[in-house]
Amino acid sequence: MFLPIMLAPQQAAELEFEVIPDALKVKLSRMLRRGRLINREEHPILWMNDVINRARALAGLHPYVLESFDVEDGIALASAWHYGEWNACFRRLDTVEFVEFLGELIEDGWLELEDANALLVEGNASFLYTSRGSKVSVRILPLTDLDDQASLVSHPNIRVLIGRMDLAVGSMDWSGVLHASSSIFETLAKEVVGIPGVRDQTLAGFFDRYRKDSTLPDAVLDFILEIYRRRNKEPLAGHGQLDAPTVTEAEAKMLAVVTKAFVTFEKGMLASGAATTGSRSRGESWG
């Protein structure tokens, strides 16, 4: 059992389903390896061994114990192992382990807090680090910047899917944005309806029930259903196809924004008790 020290139990639970991109982990390893903040007077294996063993300990692996460097061949073999393990130790960490690992690197001066946070922003992570004196702590960001109600988005799968959608935007995978948005809406609908019978159904299969329970306007619900239907037809969004995707950059970026807005509104209204099953306050239009 892994016991974090920088994350509170609730924070660890929130981040359990967060996706840390491999590209972010690789960039961190490259930043450290370039020696931006590393004592260059040490033999490279010495500081690499320290960082590697921190990561291995968090992953539940035994440390690599350095032996004497008296024999030249021994140095070569140790160097080969360390350079190979350096590329693997960052990537094998799960999200909670990675958060703890990066926090330790900041606390011990391997990486500046500002550089770590800039890396996390670049990778669309949902957390940042803060410091008070020599101690580093983790701040989990709201799901969106649109409203304080974002913290009401309770199901971890929605956080995961929004992370995937943001990654798709960042990599210009416009059909991937459509796929993630549709999956977000389907997950949200199942959570709103909240009965066991819809858990294994497609969104189309229980959409009439969702329309009754939702707080969203009818025009928005029609839009959500159309997004779901388009996902099933769009090349590379729902199925593997030979045709090129038709989703444009503008459409995908707009979809990413409104998806978060609709999720935030739905969860906020439900949490405030503004709607009850069969008798909604949403009205029939935007007016």
PDB file of all heavy atoms in Angstrom, residues 14-15 17-19 126-127 140-143 150-151 153 155-164 184:
ATOM      1  N   GLU A  14      -8.969  12.126  -5.611  1.00  0.00           N
ATOM      2  CA  GLU A  14      -9.349  12.948  -6.759  1.00  0.00           C
ATOM      3  C   GLU A  14      -8.399  12.757  -7.936  1.00  0.00           C
ATOM      4  O   GLU A  14      -8.805  12.824  -9.097  1.00  0.00           O
ATOM      5  CB  GLU A  14      -9.372  14.423  -6.358  1.00  0.00           C
ATOM      6  CG  GLU A  14     -10.523  14.819  -5.458  1.00  0.00           C
ATOM      7  CD  GLU A  14     -10.539  16.311  -5.198  1.00  0.00           C
ATOM      8  OE1 GLU A  14     -10.481  17.084  -6.163  1.00  0.00           O
ATOM      9  OE2 GLU A  14     -10.589  16.697  -4.013  1.00  0.00           O
ATOM     10  N   LEU A  15      -7.117  12.532  -7.647  1.00  0.00           N
ATOM     11  CA  LEU A  15      -6.113  12.433  -8.699  1.00  0.00           C
ATOM     12  C   LEU A  15      -5.885  11.007  -9.186  1.00  0.00           C
ATOM     13  O   LEU A  15      -5.106  10.785 -10.105  1.00  0.00           O
ATOM     14  CB  LEU A  15      -4.786  13.016  -8.223  1.00  0.00           C
ATOM     15  CG  LEU A  15      -4.758  14.530  -8.010  1.00  0.00           C
ATOM     16  CD1 LEU A  15      -3.424  14.957  -7.398  1.00  0.00           C
ATOM     17  CD2 LEU A  15      -4.989  15.264  -9.321  1.00  0.00           C
ATOM     18  N   PHE A  17      -7.546   9.062 -10.982  1.00  0.00           N
ATOM     19  CA  PHE A  17      -7.893   8.819 -12.372  1.00  0.00           C
ATOM     20  C   PHE A  17      -7.337   9.889 -13.312  1.00  0.00           C
ATOM     21  O   PHE A  17      -7.653   9.904 -14.497  1.00  0.00           O
ATOM     22  CB  PHE A  17      -9.414   8.729 -12.529  1.00  0.00           C
ATOM     23  CG  PHE A  17     -10.016   7.556 -11.816  1.00  0.00           C
ATOM     24  CD1 PHE A  17     -10.496   7.691 -10.530  1.00  0.00           C
ATOM     25  CD2 PHE A  17     -10.078   6.314 -12.417  1.00  0.00           C
ATOM     26  CE1 PHE A  17     -11.043   6.608  -9.854  1.00  0.00           C
ATOM     27  CE2 PHE A  17     -10.617   5.227 -11.760  1.00  0.00           C
ATOM     28  CZ  PHE A  17     -11.106   5.370 -10.467  1.00  0.00           C
ATOM     29  N   GLU A  18      -6.532  10.788 -12.779  1.00  0.00           N
ATOM     30  CA  GLU A  18      -5.881  11.791 -13.623  1.00  0.00           C
ATOM     31  C   GLU A  18      -4.893  11.105 -14.565  1.00  0.00           C
ATOM     32  O   GLU A  18      -4.210  10.142 -14.196  1.00  0.00           O
ATOM     33  CB  GLU A  18      -5.129  12.792 -12.738  1.00  0.00           C
ATOM     34  CG  GLU A  18      -4.258  13.773 -13.469  1.00  0.00           C
ATOM     35  CD  GLU A  18      -5.031  15.012 -13.911  1.00  0.00           C
ATOM     36  OE1 GLU A  18      -6.228  15.084 -13.613  1.00  0.00           O
ATOM     37  OE2 GLU A  18      -4.425  15.880 -14.539  1.00  0.00           O
ATOM     38  N   VAL A  19      -4.804  11.591 -15.770  1.00  0.00           N
ATOM     39  CA  VAL A  19      -3.872  11.034 -16.748  1.00  0.00           C
ATOM     40  C   VAL A  19      -2.691  11.990 -16.905  1.00  0.00           C
ATOM     41  O   VAL A  19      -2.870  13.120 -17.347  1.00  0.00           O
ATOM     42  CB  VAL A  19      -4.560  10.814 -18.109  1.00  0.00           C
ATOM     43  CG1 VAL A  19      -3.556  10.292 -19.137  1.00  0.00           C
ATOM     44  CG2 VAL A  19      -5.731   9.848 -17.960  1.00  0.00           C
ATOM     45  N   SER A 126      -4.138  18.890 -13.801  1.00  0.00           N
ATOM     46  CA  SER A 126      -5.185  19.528 -12.996  1.00  0.00           C
ATOM     47  C   SER A 126      -4.691  19.868 -11.599  1.00  0.00           C
ATOM     48  O   SER A 126      -5.491  20.054 -10.685  1.00  0.00           O
ATOM     49  CB  SER A 126      -6.408  18.613 -12.903  1.00  0.00           C
ATOM     50  OG  SER A 126      -6.094  17.438 -12.173  1.00  0.00           O
ATOM     51  N   PHE A 127      -3.390  19.959 -11.419  1.00  0.00           N
ATOM     52  CA  PHE A 127      -2.844  20.315 -10.115  1.00  0.00           C
ATOM     53  C   PHE A 127      -1.587  21.157 -10.304  1.00  0.00           C
ATOM     54  O   PHE A 127      -0.939  21.114 -11.349  1.00  0.00           O
ATOM     55  CB  PHE A 127      -2.511  19.065  -9.295  1.00  0.00           C
ATOM     56  CG  PHE A 127      -1.453  18.191  -9.918  1.00  0.00           C
ATOM     57  CD1 PHE A 127      -0.118  18.320  -9.565  1.00  0.00           C
ATOM     58  CD2 PHE A 127      -1.785  17.240 -10.872  1.00  0.00           C
ATOM     59  CE1 PHE A 127       0.859  17.528 -10.146  1.00  0.00           C
ATOM     60  CE2 PHE A 127      -0.816  16.439 -11.450  1.00  0.00           C
ATOM     61  CZ  PHE A 127       0.509  16.585 -11.088  1.00  0.00           C
ATOM     62  N   ILE A 140      -5.117  21.203  -6.082  1.00  0.00           N
ATOM     63  CA  ILE A 140      -5.865  20.637  -7.206  1.00  0.00           C
ATOM     64  C   ILE A 140      -6.751  21.723  -7.781  1.00  0.00           C
ATOM     65  O   ILE A 140      -7.508  22.382  -7.063  1.00  0.00           O
ATOM     66  CB  ILE A 140      -6.695  19.426  -6.761  1.00  0.00           C
ATOM     67  CG1 ILE A 140      -5.764  18.318  -6.243  1.00  0.00           C
ATOM     68  CG2 ILE A 140      -7.549  18.904  -7.912  1.00  0.00           C
ATOM     69  CD1 ILE A 140      -6.484  17.091  -5.749  1.00  0.00           C
ATOM     70  N   LEU A 141      -6.647  21.917  -9.078  1.00  0.00           N
ATOM     71  CA  LEU A 141      -7.386  22.984  -9.742  1.00  0.00           C
ATOM     72  C   LEU A 141      -8.836  22.596  -9.952  1.00  0.00           C
ATOM     73  O   LEU A 141      -9.153  21.409 -10.102  1.00  0.00           O
ATOM     74  CB  LEU A 141      -6.740  23.301 -11.088  1.00  0.00           C
ATOM     75  CG  LEU A 141      -5.263  23.699 -11.037  1.00  0.00           C
ATOM     76  CD1 LEU A 141      -4.737  23.852 -12.447  1.00  0.00           C
ATOM     77  CD2 LEU A 141      -5.075  24.977 -10.249  1.00  0.00           C
ATOM     78  N   PRO A 142      -9.739  23.591  -9.992  1.00  0.00           N
ATOM     79  CA  PRO A 142     -11.123  23.291 -10.362  1.00  0.00           C
ATOM     80  C   PRO A 142     -11.171  22.682 -11.752  1.00  0.00           C
ATOM     81  O   PRO A 142     -10.266  22.900 -12.574  1.00  0.00           O
ATOM     82  CB  PRO A 142     -11.813  24.663 -10.341  1.00  0.00           C
ATOM     83  CG  PRO A 142     -10.945  25.502  -9.454  1.00  0.00           C
ATOM     84  CD  PRO A 142      -9.540  25.001  -9.673  1.00  0.00           C
ATOM     85  N   LEU A 143     -12.234  21.951 -12.021  1.00  0.00           N
ATOM     86  CA  LEU A 143     -12.353  21.253 -13.302  1.00  0.00           C
ATOM     87  C   LEU A 143     -12.366  22.215 -14.477  1.00  0.00           C
ATOM     88  O   LEU A 143     -11.845  21.938 -15.534  1.00  0.00           O
ATOM     89  CB  LEU A 143     -13.632  20.411 -13.302  1.00  0.00           C
ATOM     90  CG  LEU A 143     -13.771  19.430 -14.445  1.00  0.00           C
ATOM     91  CD1 LEU A 143     -12.637  18.428 -14.421  1.00  0.00           C
ATOM     92  CD2 LEU A 143     -15.100  18.714 -14.356  1.00  0.00           C
ATOM     93  N   ALA A 150     -17.528  24.202 -10.537  1.00  0.00           N
ATOM     94  CA  ALA A 150     -16.765  23.137 -11.193  1.00  0.00           C
ATOM     95  C   ALA A 150     -16.359  22.057 -10.224  1.00  0.00           C
ATOM     96  O   ALA A 150     -16.254  20.882 -10.580  1.00  0.00           O
ATOM     97  CB  ALA A 150     -15.528  23.721 -11.872  1.00  0.00           C
ATOM     98  N   SER A 151     -16.106  22.426  -8.966  1.00  0.00           N
ATOM     99  CA  SER A 151     -15.684  21.433  -7.982  1.00  0.00           C
ATOM    100  C   SER A 151     -16.788  20.432  -7.674  1.00  0.00           C
ATOM    101  O   SER A 151     -16.547  19.424  -7.016  1.00  0.00           O
ATOM    102  CB  SER A 151     -15.253  22.127  -6.690  1.00  0.00           C
ATOM    103  OG  SER A 151     -16.332  22.866  -6.137  1.00  0.00           O
ATOM    104  N   VAL A 153     -18.273  18.628  -9.835  1.00  0.00           N
ATOM    105  CA  VAL A 153     -18.211  17.510 -10.772  1.00  0.00           C
ATOM    106  C   VAL A 153     -17.581  16.332 -10.042  1.00  0.00           C
ATOM    107  O   VAL A 153     -16.383  16.280  -9.853  1.00  0.00           O
ATOM    108  CB  VAL A 153     -17.404  17.872 -12.019  1.00  0.00           C
ATOM    109  CG1 VAL A 153     -17.337  16.690 -12.978  1.00  0.00           C
ATOM    110  CG2 VAL A 153     -18.039  19.070 -12.701  1.00  0.00           C
ATOM    111  N   HIS A 155     -17.876  12.711 -10.324  1.00  0.00           N
ATOM    112  CA  HIS A 155     -17.434  11.397 -10.797  1.00  0.00           C
ATOM    113  C   HIS A 155     -16.034  11.483 -11.398  1.00  0.00           C
ATOM    114  O   HIS A 155     -15.780  12.297 -12.290  1.00  0.00           O
ATOM    115  CB  HIS A 155     -18.413  10.828 -11.825  1.00  0.00           C
ATOM    116  CG  HIS A 155     -18.284   9.350 -11.939  1.00  0.00           C
ATOM    117  ND1 HIS A 155     -17.219   8.742 -12.567  1.00  0.00           N
ATOM    118  CD2 HIS A 155     -19.068   8.351 -11.467  1.00  0.00           C
ATOM    119  CE1 HIS A 155     -17.367   7.429 -12.494  1.00  0.00           C
ATOM    120  NE2 HIS A 155     -18.471   7.168 -11.830  1.00  0.00           N
ATOM    121  N   PRO A 156     -15.104  10.673 -10.909  1.00  0.00           N
ATOM    122  CA  PRO A 156     -13.717  10.768 -11.399  1.00  0.00           C
ATOM    123  C   PRO A 156     -13.572  10.486 -12.882  1.00  0.00           C
ATOM    124  O   PRO A 156     -12.655  10.999 -13.517  1.00  0.00           O
ATOM    125  CB  PRO A 156     -12.968   9.718 -10.562  1.00  0.00           C
ATOM    126  CG  PRO A 156     -14.033   8.799 -10.049  1.00  0.00           C
ATOM    127  CD  PRO A 156     -15.253   9.636  -9.868  1.00  0.00           C
ATOM    128  N   ASN A 157     -14.470   9.676 -13.454  1.00  0.00           N
ATOM    129  CA  ASN A 157     -14.357   9.392 -14.887  1.00  0.00           C
ATOM    130  C   ASN A 157     -14.545  10.651 -15.729  1.00  0.00           C
ATOM    131  O   ASN A 157     -13.965  10.782 -16.808  1.00  0.00           O
ATOM    132  CB  ASN A 157     -15.386   8.338 -15.303  1.00  0.00           C
ATOM    133  CG  ASN A 157     -15.006   6.950 -14.820  1.00  0.00           C
ATOM    134  OD1 ASN A 157     -13.962   6.774 -14.207  1.00  0.00           O
ATOM    135  ND2 ASN A 157     -15.846   5.976 -15.078  1.00  0.00           N
ATOM    136  N   ILE A 158     -15.359  11.589 -15.231  1.00  0.00           N
ATOM    137  CA  ILE A 158     -15.555  12.834 -15.975  1.00  0.00           C
ATOM    138  C   ILE A 158     -14.272  13.638 -15.982  1.00  0.00           C
ATOM    139  O   ILE A 158     -13.887  14.222 -17.001  1.00  0.00           O
ATOM    140  CB  ILE A 158     -16.728  13.638 -15.387  1.00  0.00           C
ATOM    141  CG1 ILE A 158     -18.037  12.882 -15.609  1.00  0.00           C
ATOM    142  CG2 ILE A 158     -16.803  15.029 -16.010  1.00  0.00           C
ATOM    143  CD1 ILE A 158     -19.264  13.567 -15.032  1.00  0.00           C
ATOM    144  N   ARG A 159     -13.572  13.674 -14.845  1.00  0.00           N
ATOM    145  CA  ARG A 159     -12.277  14.374 -14.796  1.00  0.00           C
ATOM    146  C   ARG A 159     -11.289  13.736 -15.767  1.00  0.00           C
ATOM    147  O   ARG A 159     -10.557  14.424 -16.475  1.00  0.00           O
ATOM    148  CB  ARG A 159     -11.715  14.356 -13.377  1.00  0.00           C
ATOM    149  CG  ARG A 159     -10.393  15.083 -13.249  1.00  0.00           C
ATOM    150  CD  ARG A 159      -9.869  15.032 -11.830  1.00  0.00           C
ATOM    151  NE  ARG A 159     -10.643  15.864 -10.943  1.00  0.00           N
ATOM    152  CZ  ARG A 159     -10.432  17.161 -10.768  1.00  0.00           C
ATOM    153  NH1 ARG A 159      -9.472  17.769 -11.450  1.00  0.00           N
ATOM    154  NH2 ARG A 159     -11.169  17.851  -9.939  1.00  0.00           N
ATOM    155  N   VAL A 160     -11.255  12.416 -15.811  1.00  0.00           N
ATOM    156  CA  VAL A 160     -10.351  11.716 -16.732  1.00  0.00           C
ATOM    157  C   VAL A 160     -10.665  12.089 -18.176  1.00  0.00           C
ATOM    158  O   VAL A 160      -9.777  12.415 -18.969  1.00  0.00           O
ATOM    159  CB  VAL A 160     -10.456  10.187 -16.551  1.00  0.00           C
ATOM    160  CG1 VAL A 160      -9.670   9.467 -17.641  1.00  0.00           C
ATOM    161  CG2 VAL A 160      -9.928   9.777 -15.187  1.00  0.00           C
ATOM    162  N   LEU A 161     -11.948  12.051 -18.524  1.00  0.00           N
ATOM    163  CA  LEU A 161     -12.347  12.322 -19.902  1.00  0.00           C
ATOM    164  C   LEU A 161     -12.080  13.766 -20.294  1.00  0.00           C
ATOM    165  O   LEU A 161     -11.707  14.054 -21.435  1.00  0.00           O
ATOM    166  CB  LEU A 161     -13.825  11.973 -20.088  1.00  0.00           C
ATOM    167  CG  LEU A 161     -14.155  10.473 -20.036  1.00  0.00           C
ATOM    168  CD1 LEU A 161     -15.651  10.261 -19.891  1.00  0.00           C
ATOM    169  CD2 LEU A 161     -13.615   9.766 -21.272  1.00  0.00           C
ATOM    170  N   ILE A 162     -12.266  14.696 -19.366  1.00  0.00           N
ATOM    171  CA  ILE A 162     -11.951  16.089 -19.673  1.00  0.00           C
ATOM    172  C   ILE A 162     -10.452  16.253 -19.868  1.00  0.00           C
ATOM    173  O   ILE A 162     -10.004  17.011 -20.737  1.00  0.00           O
ATOM    174  CB  ILE A 162     -12.495  17.019 -18.576  1.00  0.00           C
ATOM    175  CG1 ILE A 162     -14.014  17.108 -18.706  1.00  0.00           C
ATOM    176  CG2 ILE A 162     -11.870  18.406 -18.656  1.00  0.00           C
ATOM    177  CD1 ILE A 162     -14.692  18.013 -17.708  1.00  0.00           C
ATOM    178  N   GLY A 163      -9.664  15.529 -19.081  1.00  0.00           N
ATOM    179  CA  GLY A 163      -8.222  15.551 -19.306  1.00  0.00           C
ATOM    180  C   GLY A 163      -7.862  15.046 -20.691  1.00  0.00           C
ATOM    181  O   GLY A 163      -7.011  15.620 -21.376  1.00  0.00           O
ATOM    182  N   ARG A 164      -8.527  13.974 -21.129  1.00  0.00           N
ATOM    183  CA  ARG A 164      -8.270  13.446 -22.469  1.00  0.00           C
ATOM    184  C   ARG A 164      -8.702  14.443 -23.548  1.00  0.00           C
ATOM    185  O   ARG A 164      -8.025  14.597 -24.569  1.00  0.00           O
ATOM    186  CB  ARG A 164      -9.031  12.133 -22.656  1.00  0.00           C
ATOM    187  CG  ARG A 164      -8.475  10.980 -21.846  1.00  0.00           C
ATOM    188  CD  ARG A 164      -9.283   9.718 -22.074  1.00  0.00           C
ATOM    189  NE  ARG A 164      -8.789   8.627 -21.245  1.00  0.00           N
ATOM    190  CZ  ARG A 164      -9.399   7.450 -21.124  1.00  0.00           C
ATOM    191  NH1 ARG A 164     -10.516   7.227 -21.788  1.00  0.00           N
ATOM    192  NH2 ARG A 164      -8.894   6.516 -20.352  1.00  0.00           N
ATOM    193  N   ILE A 184     -17.989  12.188 -22.300  1.00  0.00           N
ATOM    194  CA  ILE A 184     -18.291  13.004 -21.116  1.00  0.00           C
ATOM    195  C   ILE A 184     -19.793  13.138 -20.937  1.00  0.00           C
ATOM    196  O   ILE A 184     -20.336  12.947 -19.844  1.00  0.00           O
ATOM    197  CB  ILE A 184     -17.627  14.383 -21.232  1.00  0.00           C
ATOM    198  CG1 ILE A 184     -16.108  14.258 -21.099  1.00  0.00           C
ATOM    199  CG2 ILE A 184     -18.169  15.347 -20.172  1.00  0.00           C
ATOM    200  CD1 ILE A 184     -15.350  15.498 -21.536  1.00  0.00           C
TER     201      ILE A 184
END
